[in-house]
Amino acid sequence: MSSQPTRVLFVCLGNICRSPAAEGVFLDLLERENLNDAFEVDSAGTGNWHVGKRADPRMRAAAERRGIDLPSRARQIEPGDLNRFDWIITMDDSNLANVRALDPSGSSHDHIVPLTSHCSRHQASEVPDPYYGGEQGFEHVLDLLEDACSGLLKRLR
Ligand code: 4NP
């Protein structure tokens, strides 16, 4: 009998830079460890400006250079996601506050956690928004995501 997959939702503001990249990095790790069937992975944004769009071309190009595909389309998080997913993984303090605000009862708050809490090589409390910066910002985001996603997988597997 196979057990239920662990459901993980990565969340940022626009769902076109950080969270689709986190989704791609985590999926790439699952692929390499042959763990695809053990997880269901998705991403969403707290905002709705980019709904339906593919990830930002700069984020896709940076991920591509590391051999990681980012196929997801942006969507906005909805309150039902807090029950549908076992873990909601946020990129910055604002995402964390906005997602927690979707559940005023607080009953799901233990399952809403910052991705950077799983970093082992980097000391960071947030994955910074790269949208208005240069190319180096996208590389830095991927460095943080690779570190944190491997820590997250160690924790959840
Ligand atoms: P993300 O980056 O939250 O990592 O997807 C952003 C993308 C778009 C905007 C802000 C952040 N925006 O203001 O449109």
Side-chain angles (χ1 to χ4, degrees):
M1 204 179 74
S2 64
S3 55
Q4 288 283 320
T6 302
R7 296 184 173 86
V8 180
L9 181 69
F10 294 99
V11 178
C12 63
L13 174 60
N15 194 210
I16 55 167
C17 296
R18 293 163 293 174
S19 61
E23 179 186 359
V25 166
F26 196 72
L27 285 171
D28 183 62
L29 286 175
L30 294 180
E31 181 84 33
R32 285 197 258 149
E33 305 265 347
N34 209 10
L35 285 169
N36 306 57
D37 293 346
F39 288 88
E40 265 180 41
V41 186
D42 194 8
S43 65
T46 57
N48 66 0
W49 311 283
H50 300 286
V51 166
K53 284 196 208 154
R54 293 197 63 189
D56 187 290
R58 298 166 296 173
M59 192 80 252
R60 292 212 310 272
E64 195 65 43
R65 288 195 287 275
R66 301 183 189 211
I68 297 168
D69 189 31
L70 304 183
S72 77
R73 295 267 174 186
R75 73 170 179 91
Q76 187 173 28
I77 191 170
E78 52 190 37
D81 287 322
L82 273 51
N83 296 323
R84 261 195 297 282
F85 288 88
D86 302 300
W87 294 101
I88 315 264
I89 309 290
T90 54
M91 301 297 132
D92 64 28
D93 295 344
S94 160
N95 310 148
L96 184 66
N98 286 328
V99 175
R100 288 190 167 163
L102 294 175
D103 173 19
S105 81
S107 63
S108 61
H109 287 193
D110 287 352
H111 302 275
I112 307 168
V113 293
L115 182 59
T116 48
S117 66
H118 298 284
C119 279
S120 60
R121 298 191 303 275
H122 293 83
Q123 285 228 322
S125 62
E126 300 185 295
V127 180
D129 182 352
Y131 190 68
Y132 293 106
E135 192 176 301
Q136 190 48 43
F138 291 86
E139 294 298 333
H140 179 55
V141 164
L142 285 171
D143 289 342
L144 288 173
L145 295 182
E146 288 182 337
D147 183 7
C149 283
S150 90
L152 177 66
L153 182 55
K154 270 191 198 125
R155 162 85 211 285
L156 297 183
R157 68 183 298 172

